[in-house]
Amino acid sequence: MKIRRMASLKTADEFKNYLRENNITLPFAENTAALNTPCQLEGKTIGNRLAILPMEGWDCTSNGHPTDLVRRRWGNFGRSGAKLIWGGEAAAVRMDGRANPHQLLINADTLPDIADLRQLLVQTHKEHYGRTDDLLVGLQLTHSGRFASPHELKKREPVILYHHPLLDKKIGIAADYPVITDDEIARLEEDYIRAAELAYQAGFDFVDIKHCHGYLGHEFLSAVERPGKYGGSLGNRTRFCSEIVQGIKAKTPGIGIGVRLSAFDFLPFQPGADGKGEPIKYDGYYPYGFGGDGTGTGIDLAEPILFLKKLLSLGVKLVCITAGSPYYNPHIQRPALFPPVDAYQPPEDPLVGTARLINTTAALKKAVPELTVIGSGYSYLQEWLPNVAAGVVAGGEADFVGYGRQVLSYPEFATDVLNGKTLKKNKICRTFSDCTTAPRLGLVSGCFPLDEYYQGLPDYACLACSKKAGEKRIITAKPFSPHS
Ligand SMILES: Cc1cc2nc3c(=O)[nH]c(=O)nc-3n(C[C@H](O)[C@H](O)[C@H](O)COP(=O)(O)O)c2cc1C
């Protein structure tokens, strides 16, 4: 497999020929006008079809307050020109749910700062675009489950629903490690319901009950072997989500509810002898991949469709589709040419992963057209993102196109696309994955290759030294302290 760099596909014909030669199917519109069309959602008109996906930065204080780096990022989300801000970034609903000691936390103490953060985003948007009545801003609510490291970066404090034969080993969870009880789950639901109330007080239009990327919400969906009322049948595995949605509707009827869903999942991948990713060997039927067909690398959307229909029946109108997990199969979620430090060389052309996500999202939108669907994983498309995105929207394959890494390197990407400007090539994300490598090393996240602001941080030197030496740890002195 010879992967061509996207930047070398200089004309639309070259791009389309490359897709054809590699049997990759993606929509493509010559004209990007579809992205400028408004979208109606429950009486509100949202100004365009671009969305900013949640992008955390591992840069909050140790007690979960935003820092200047977080404020800068959210200001950039507002400046982007996209009219839907899906979640901002993951905010843990309680301390033990944080994925890292610098994750945002939502509670009574952090509420004023989080309200200011939203206000900063909205104000920045207003200064650039003159209006905000057509802007929709949500907050993503999370508990990190088996990937929780709330106090120390290298110390996992997992909260698990069941023992997973491969992930337990990968993370170092002992066979007798306790699983969360049904009573504790009921208490956790209360935390989500309270967090949604706080998010409403902070002015957010909606909350996202995160069900993706291997975190706790997502783990419920694959808890096929868990006994009791939260495991086994699909009804039981989606009970956590249903009860939270019902609780929020009862307590805070004014706030909208969305769900970000990993709609399919594969086996965990690891580097093979040649460094390329390959699935960890697993004999027989693999039941732990929600939306999987049992082979570990195939898709069956029957359950995801039933889940989406259930969400609709509960009054949830917004869903954002993603896949897999950044911890064990990042190539299906954030296709990249250059892997992060803890991953593997691409096992497929990243365009294959991009198309898999886009086409799966289209199938889900077709199956449940009443939902407003946001797609993910477009950044790898680089120069061709606008045309593919416009093709998706024009064809009704998603209502919004969401992107993440591109907003870090090129904050005004959306506005340039929407205004038909020539894209600034030196700002386009080339998927170097430093935004993931840096936090894996204990540094803050950001676009180190292209955002000069990050090149001025001490973290930049730490990252550069560690990468040069091929290290998987920091080998230089003190990184930036988000506390300062
Ligand atoms: C640095 C970084 C931070 C992220 N933070 C979050 C997050 O807080 N919540 C979430 O659901 N996804 C998060 N993601 C995943 C993105 O939202 C998105 O799904 C992924 O990057 C693929 O989209 P893209 O190709 O446009 O980057 C993060 C990804 C990266 C690279």
Side-chain angles (χ1 to χ4, degrees):
M1 171 187 62
K2 173 95 182 76
I3 302 173
R4 267 190 73 179
R5 291 193 183 203
M6 290 298 291
S8 75
L9 301 170
K10 294 201 185 301
T11 65
D13 280 346
E14 272 186 84
F15 176 64
K16 287 193 265 185
N17 285 340
Y18 185 69
L19 292 180
R20 204 170 308 121
E21 284 158 15
N22 289 282
N23 293 319
I24 301 168
T25 307
L26 278 172
F28 188 98
E30 304 293 339
N31 181 321
T32 60
L35 299 175
N36 269 313
T37 54
C39 182
Q40 301 296 328
L41 180 71
E42 295 191 312
K44 179 156 178 160
T45 304
I46 306 172
N48 59 48
R49 301 305 186 103
L50 290 175
I52 301 299
L53 298 175
M55 294 296 284
E56 66 180 316
W58 291 258
D59 49 8
C60 290
T61 66
S62 54
N63 52 0
H65 290 257
T67 60
D68 286 346
L69 284 180
V70 183
R71 284 185 276 275
R72 180 177 183 271
R73 186 167 56 255
W74 282 56
N76 281 343
F77 296 165
R79 169 158 86 95
S80 69
K83 289 286 182 182
L84 200 165
I85 310 297
W86 184 284
E89 66 188 82
V93 298
R94 65 188 206 196
M95 192 54 141
D96 77 350
R98 293 204 299 173
N100 64 79
H102 295 295
Q103 190 168 50
L104 191 64
L105 180 66
I106 178 155
N107 60 25
D109 181 40
T110 58
L111 182 63
D113 284 355
I114 291 181
D116 287 351
L117 197 57
R118 189 207 71 97
Q119 185 54 35
L120 171 78
L121 185 158
V122 171
Q123 187 56 33
T124 309
H125 189 85
K126 184 158 195 175
E127 281 160 16
H128 283 79
Y129 306 104
R131 59 188 285 196
T132 57
D133 59 307
D134 59 349
L135 174 73
L136 199 76
V137 185
L139 182 68
Q140 182 175 65
L141 302 182
T142 192
H143 188 293
S144 303
R146 69 171 58 233
F147 296 104
S149 288
H151 299 106
E152 287 173 46
L153 191 69
K154 299 282 173 200
K155 191 174 156 226
R156 287 220 197 275
E157 298 176 45
V159 175
I160 58 169
L161 294 164
Y162 64 91
H163 283 281
H164 187 297
L166 303 176
L167 293 179
D168 278 16
K169 208 187 288 173
K170 191 174 160 69
I171 300 168
I173 296 177
D176 59 354
Y177 191 81
V179 298
I180 184 173
T181 64
D182 287 1
D183 285 349
E184 284 168 319
I185 292 171
R187 279 197 289 279
L188 180 56
E189 289 175 357
E190 289 304 318
D191 291 323
Y192 274 82
I193 294 162
R194 193 164 38 251
E197 196 182 359
L198 294 177
Y200 183 63
Q201 287 168 21
F204 287 95
D205 298 303
F206 71 98
V207 284
D208 162 21
I209 313 301
K210 186 174 188 175
H211 272 64
C212 61
H213 302 166
Y215 297 114
L216 196 72
H218 186 203
E219 184 158 315
F220 272 99
L221 301 177
S222 62
V224 285
E225 289 166 357
R226 183 185 166 95
K229 61 180 189 174
Y230 292 103
S233 69
L234 184 65
N236 281 353
R237 284 179 277 132
T238 55
R239 184 186 301 281
F240 176 71
C241 189
S242 312
E243 289 179 347
I244 292 173
V245 170
Q246 284 159 346
I248 293 173
K249 285 198 169 285
K251 192 140 198 197
T252 315
I255 197 156
I257 304 176
V259 171
R260 190 161 202 222
L261 171 68
S262 278
F264 60 90
D265 201 1
F266 285 0
L267 275 160
F269 272 56
Q270 62 186 9
D274 57 0
K276 278 189 202 151
E278 54 185 38
I280 295 181
K281 205 170 153 20
Y282 186 83
D283 288 329
Y285 186 85
Y286 181 71
Y288 310 106
F290 181 72
D293 65 358
T295 63
T297 51
I299 299 175
D300 178 351
L301 293 179
E303 284 206 336
I305 289 171
L306 287 173
F307 181 39
L308 293 183
K309 288 186 173 163
K310 181 169 183 175
L311 288 175
L312 191 64
S313 72
L314 290 166
V316 173
K317 299 277 165 47
L318 272 175
V319 294
C320 179
I321 303 301
T322 174
S325 164
Y327 298 103
Y328 56 80
N329 50 24
H331 72 287
I332 68 172
Q333 181 217 70
R334 46 180 84 161
L337 194 53
F338 307 96
V341 70
D342 61 338
Y344 40 79
Q345 293 300 324
E348 61 190 8
D349 190 314
L351 277 174
V352 172
T354 305
R356 186 189 293 115
L357 254 176
I358 289 175
N359 295 326
T360 302
T361 305
L364 293 170
K365 172 70 189 172
K366 192 169 176 200
V368 198
E370 303 89 339
L371 284 171
T372 298
V373 173
I374 291 88
S376 305
Y378 285 73
S379 287
Y380 184 73
L381 289 163
Q382 303 167 44
E383 279 85 346
W384 301 109
L385 193 164
N387 301 86
V388 173
V392 165
V393 171
E397 299 188 9
D399 299 286
F400 288 85
V401 163
Y403 61 90
R405 288 165 293 175
Q406 204 62 251
V407 76
L408 298 186
S409 65
Y410 191 165
E412 69 280 23
F413 180 78
T415 190
D416 281 0
V417 170
L418 296 165
N419 290 311
K421 291 199 179 145
T422 306
L423 294 180
K424 301 176 187 94
K425 287 198 176 292
N426 61 349
K427 297 189 99 177
I428 294 178
C429 168
R430 301 297 180 195
T431 67
F432 289 117
S433 292
D434 281 358
C435 54
T436 303
T437 289
R440 296 292 184 259
L441 297 174
L443 307 168
V444 297
S445 174
C447 185
F448 289 92
L450 300 182
D451 183 343
E452 283 178 7
Y453 181 87
Y454 280 84
Q455 294 171 7
L457 298 180
D459 297 55
Y460 180 64
C462 296
L463 178 66
C465 281
S466 297
K467 280 183 67 176
K468 202 165 159 200
E471 284 284 345
K472 300 201 173 192
R473 63 195 168 96
I474 309 167
I475 58 164
T476 49
K478 202 174 165 289
F480 170 78
S481 163
H483 302 252
S484 58

